[in-house]
Every structure is written in structure tokens, then in C-alpha cells.
Amino acid sequence: MKPSPQIMGLAAPLLGTLTEQDNALLAAIVNAVKEEIGARLRPDVDPADCDDSVTLAAVLLAVSTMRKLKDSDISDFTAGTLKVSLRDDRSAYADMAYRLLAPWCADAFAFRGVSG
């Protein structure tokens, strides 16, 4: 799966200077985040209906994950058949991303303002 240039472009400035290896890791993270978001959406939701929120949530989750990985003292990263499991991320970026997605997710509750 090709990572979204839009998500990569929005995430990169929030992370500062990235090496070639960092960019490769970010691309893998963006793909994983897109899959996670897709899996969280209710079956009746067309991702195009919430594209802006999905894009912003993907940026926030990718940045949160990159920062968490950089802070975890991982000494090596090899792409391929790899599974990385991290504890639940409760960073401000991740919390904001999940709040943005709440109206379209199967496992979330979102209060929307009522006019009148």
C-alpha cells in the first residue's frame, strides 16, 4: 500500500527533520494508521463522507506513534514481516484523533451540538 502523500506532507513538519530511515518508518506508520482508522469506521460509513477528519486523525496518530517510537529507545527497525505492539497511546494527539473519528466509529460515542 502506498502511503498518502497528503498525510505524509502534513505529518512531517510536526516531526521536525526526518532522515531517510525516519521517512520510511513514517510511511509504514501512515499505512498502518490508515488501516486502523478504516477498521474502526462503522460498516455504513463511506470514508469519503468524513475524509477531512480521517486525514487529520491519520496525521495526529502517525505523529503520536512516531514520537512514541523515538522516545522508546528502539535500536533497530526492519520492515518486512514485522509486528510492533505498543501499549495504548494516550497522548494528546491520539486522544484528539479518536475524538475526531468518534462520530463515524463503531466503538465510540460522540456528542454533537443540538441547535435551537
Side-chain angles (χ1 to χ4, degrees):
M1 177 186 298
K2 183 178 177 187
S4 166
Q6 181 184 20
I7 295 170
M8 295 280 294
L10 291 169
L14 297 172
L15 294 167
T17 305
L18 298 174
T19 66
E20 187 175 322
Q21 201 172 22
D22 290 338
N23 277 316
L25 179 58
L26 179 59
I29 289 170
V30 166
N31 286 336
V33 163
K34 286 173 31 182
E35 287 182 23
E36 176 190 355
I37 290 171
R40 286 178 170 263
L41 296 179
R42 292 188 319 265
D44 64 322
V45 171
D46 180 358
D49 292 342
C50 52
D51 188 53
D52 289 340
S53 293
V54 166
T55 298
L56 182 54
V59 169
L60 294 170
L61 289 172
V63 169
S64 176
T65 302
M66 281 290 287
R67 287 183 173 178
K68 190 169 194 164
L69 287 172
K70 286 194 172 270
D71 292 341
S72 66
D73 296 325
I74 292 176
S75 61
D76 186 34
F77 175 81
T78 304
T81 305
L82 173 72
K83 178 180 178 182
V84 177
S85 297
L86 302 171
R87 66 179 184 261
D88 287 339
D89 181 12
R90 299 315 314 163
S91 74
Y93 285 137
D95 287 342
M96 188 181 306
Y98 293 128
R99 283 195 311 272
L100 283 169
L101 293 172
W104 299 281
C105 287
D107 62 348
F109 172 81
F111 178 78
R112 298 185 116 178
V114 180
S115 62

